[in-house]
Amino acid sequence: MKQKLRVALIGQGFMGRAHSNAWRQAGHFFDLPYEIETQVLCGRNAEGLAKMASTWGWHETSTDWPAVVSRPDVDLVDIAVPNVLHAEMAIAAAAAGKIVLCEKPLAVSSEESARMEAAVRGRPNMVWFNYRRVPAVSLAKRMIDEGRLGRVFHYRAQYLQEWGNDPTRPPNWKTSRAGAGSGVVGDLMTHSLDLALWLNGPLREVMAMQHTFAAGRDIDDATLVMARFANGSLGSFEATRYATGCRNRNAFEIHGERGALGFDLEDLTRLRWFDATEPRDLQAEKKILVGAATHPYAGNFWKLGHVSGYEHTFIAALGDFLGALSRGERFEPGFAEGHRVQLAVRAIQESANLGGWVSIE
Ligand code: SOE
C-alpha cells in the first residue's frame, strides 16, 4: 500500500508548469512508495488557475496561499512564485508543519535565506537547482569525485541568455527589484554558483561588476565575477540577458591536472572530456553522448541516444527528493545549499557596489 503524499503547488507560471509536469511524471520514471495527490494549485489568476488545474490534474484551485499552506489535508508545499514571495510562503508552510520545496533563488537576500533555512531545519526540504540532475552534469560530478581531474586549476561558468534585448518582450516580475530582488545574479548566476559549489567546493572570495543595459531598470542585466575557490583554483562567472544568440547557455568548463570537463545546456546530452593522462600525441577532446547504461539516470529514462531533455531534470530532482524522503535521508540541494548560494550572491553584490575583493563567510 503506497503512502499518500498530498501536494500543494503555489505558482502558475513557467515553473508552475515545469513542477506540475514533474509531479505527474516522477512516479513514471522513479519507483516511489508514494501515491502523489496533486491536491491544490494556488495562484493569483483564478481564471488561469482553473484551466491549468484541468490541464495538469490538480484537484482544486485557490487564490488564498495562507489558507493553502495551513490545510490539514496538505503534506507538502511546493513554491514556484516570484522570488520576493519565497521567504514568507516557505516560513509559513514550515510553521504549519509541511515539507517545503522552493524554486531558486531561495531568497532575495542571505538574511532571508538564513531565516528560511532555520525554519525548515530538521524537516525535509529542497531547492529546485534542477541542473545538478542533467545526466551529463551528474556524470561530471561522478568523474570529479573519482579523481579524474586531479588538482583543479580553473573553473569557468557562464549562464548566457538574450531576451533582455528583445523589444517585443514586455517587462515582467523578473525585470524589477520589486519582483525579483535582483537581476541575473539571482535568476541565472545562482544556478552556476550551486553547480560550482557542488562540483568544485567552497568559494573563498570574489571580485565582481554588475551592469544594467536597459534605461530605467533597477536590477543587473549582466554580472561578471572573478573568484578564488578554497581548493586553490581560480574561478570566473558570467551571467547576462544580453548575450545575443545565446538562448539558455548554462555552461561550465573545469581544467585540472589530469583532464578537463565541459558542459553546455544548449547541448545537454553531451559531456566534453579531455583526458590529459593519455599519450600526448593521442590526446583530443571527446564529446561523450550521455545515456549509456552505466551513466546517471540511464536506469530511469531512455536508452543511449534516445535523449533526455529539460523537463527530465525536474523529474529527476523530484524523483531523487522523494526517494530520499522515503528513506529518511537528507536531500541535496536543500535550503542549506540555497543559503550557501545566497551568501555568495551577497558577496558578489557587495563587491560590485563597493569594489575590491569580498570574502565569503
Ligand atoms: C530565466 O529565463 C530562467 O527561466 C530561469 O529563471 C530558470 O531557473 C532557468 O532554468 C531557465 O531560465
Side-chain angles (χ1 to χ4, degrees):
M1 180 71 174
K2 291 201 171 189
Q3 180 188 342
K4 273 191 190 306
L5 189 65
R6 301 162 298 180
V7 178
L9 170 63
I10 311 177
Q12 57 188 118
F14 177 22
M15 286 301 135
R17 286 176 63 221
H19 293 199
S20 293
N21 182 61
W23 284 111
R24 303 305 299 173
Q25 297 270 37
H28 299 155
F29 293 98
F30 289 78
D31 184 16
L32 301 175
Y34 298 111
E35 182 185 337
I36 304 293
E37 288 283 338
T38 46
Q39 198 82 321
V40 51
L41 174 67
C42 183
R44 286 183 290 196
N45 171 343
E47 187 185 335
L49 279 175
K51 183 174 185 323
M52 183 170 172
S54 163
T55 301
W56 292 101
W58 293 95
H59 304 331
E60 299 175 44
T61 63
S62 169
T63 57
D64 182 354
W65 75 261
V68 165
V69 301
S70 309
R71 282 174 54 153
D73 62 343
V74 166
D75 305 307
L76 182 150
V77 174
D78 182 8
I79 298 166
V81 295
N83 307 342
V84 293
L85 302 173
H86 289 182
E88 186 182 11
M89 290 183 180
I91 291 169
K98 311 303 182 189
I99 297 166
V100 187
L101 281 54
C102 187
E103 257 299 328
K104 44 54 60 183
L106 181 60
V108 297
S109 71
S110 56
E111 177 280 325
E112 263 192 2
S113 57
R115 287 191 290 114
M116 295 168 81
E117 194 278 326
V120 301
R121 203 173 299 159
R123 172 189 322 284
N125 61 86
M126 170 173 126
V127 179
W128 289 88
F129 283 120
N130 54 301
Y131 294 123
R132 292 191 184 200
R133 266 105 185 158
V134 178
V137 176
S138 284
L139 179 58
K141 172 63 174 172
R142 182 198 295 176
M143 291 173 73
I144 291 167
D145 289 351
E146 289 168 350
R148 301 296 293 265
L149 287 184
R151 177 187 171 198
V152 176
F153 302 122
H154 288 278
Y155 188 102
R156 185 175 308 106
Q158 302 169 326
Y159 203 142
L160 312 178
Q161 295 184 340
E162 62 175 359
W163 58 271
N165 188 34
D166 179 354
T168 67
R169 192 163 173 144
N172 62 36
W173 65 265
K174 285 184 184 248
T175 54
S176 77
R177 188 172 303 282
S182 64
V184 296
V185 72
D187 189 28
L188 302 180
M189 196 173 278
T190 51
H191 277 302
S192 302
L193 290 165
D194 175 67
L195 288 183
L197 293 166
W198 186 51
L199 295 171
N200 197 39
L203 282 161
R204 278 289 168 265
E205 56 179 357
V206 292
M207 164 95 85
M209 67 176 288
Q210 295 187 303
H211 184 74
T212 302
F213 291 105
R217 187 171 288 160
D218 63 354
I219 49 167
D220 51 305
D221 288 329
T223 295
L224 282 71
V225 178
M226 293 190 297
R228 296 184 199 279
F229 287 87
N231 67 7
S233 60
L234 304 184
S236 64
F237 296 82
E238 180 182 1
T240 180
R241 289 173 180 152
Y242 282 78
T244 310
C246 298
R247 307 308 197 184
N248 195 25
R249 189 171 299 173
N250 176 5
F252 61 79
E253 291 178 328
I254 315 173
H255 301 272
E257 197 168 24
R258 297 165 49 86
L261 285 164
F263 171 76
D264 178 349
L265 186 66
E266 293 184 355
D267 184 14
L268 87 164
T269 62
R270 294 188 186 278
L271 179 65
R272 302 193 314 274
W273 165 235
F274 184 97
D275 184 347
T277 65
E278 291 181 329
R280 247 184 138 70
D281 58 355
L282 296 180
Q283 291 178 3
E285 182 178 84
K286 298 174 186 169
K287 285 193 168 188
I288 303 168
L289 181 61
V290 181
T294 57
H295 288 165
Y297 304 105
N300 301 98
F301 297 123
W302 311 114
K303 290 179 186 172
L304 181 58
H306 302 65
V307 298
S308 301
Y310 175 71
E311 68 179 282
H312 295 88
T313 68
F314 290 88
I315 295 169
L318 186 57
D320 282 354
F321 173 78
L322 294 173
L325 179 66
S326 68
R327 296 187 298 273
E329 294 168 1
R330 184 179 182 281
F331 174 84
E332 285 197 21
F335 280 34
E337 284 71 35
H339 175 53
R340 196 174 58 171
V341 168
Q342 295 301 142
L343 290 172
V345 169
R346 173 182 167 177
I348 287 166
Q349 292 171 321
E350 187 178 324
S351 171
N353 292 335
L354 303 177
W357 285 94
V358 175
S359 298
I360 295 177
E361 298 163 35

